[in-house]
Amino acid sequence: MAVGNAGRHLESAADALCTFLSTDGGATWSDVAPHAGIYEYGDHGGALLLAKHETDGPTDALRVSTDGGLCWHDVRLAEAIDIQNIRVEPRGASHVFVVHGRACPTRAAPGCTHTGGPGAG
């Protein structure tokens, strides 16, 4: 998996970045998310978890694939959070992922924003 854009030169604007997946060692790539995603591999690459990173604002959904990226399913969260990281055990063999982030102080979903209050930053 990688974050970037397709075109003649690298774009760094957030709205120009997508998350891509290659299943053949980088010979071909498919667009799997219309944003710069944060992702992790489990089950030795068979299970993938993808989400919008906190730099793009809060999200109330995760994307999961249990077939190496062929099909993706949305998993809704009870409330929107700013996702900072996704982890799996060090060998990458588990199906268990830990999503690390922080709740939105306003508790509004999914477009809440941080106002810089206690614990923000």
Side-chain angles (χ1 to χ4, degrees):
M1 292 186 83
V3 172
N5 67 291
R8 296 182 136 193
H9 60 280
L10 181 61
E11 291 283 344
S12 60
D15 62 347
L17 298 175
C18 295
T19 304
F20 295 90
L21 173 68
S22 176
T23 58
D24 58 9
T28 60
W29 292 86
S30 59
D31 185 347
V32 294
H35 55 76
I38 185 165
Y39 49 86
E40 186 63 82
Y41 305 94
D43 190 29
H44 303 289
L48 307 170
L49 187 64
L50 168 69
K52 186 167 72 167
H53 191 271
E54 72 173 336
T55 56
D56 288 330
T59 186
D60 66 348
L62 306 172
R63 299 205 73 208
V64 63
S65 174
T66 57
D67 59 6
L70 296 175
C71 294
W72 291 88
H73 306 280
D74 288 337
V75 175
R76 294 286 172 196
L77 303 174
E79 66 181 63
I81 62 173
D82 283 329
I83 297 178
Q84 298 170 325
N85 208 347
I86 301 172
R87 298 285 190 184
V88 71
E89 56 86 24
R91 292 182 302 125
S94 179
H95 286 97
V96 177
F97 294 87
V98 175
V99 177
H100 174 238
R102 68 177 150 222
C104 299
T106 62
R107 299 284 186 229
C112 57
T113 59
H114 285 289
T115 59

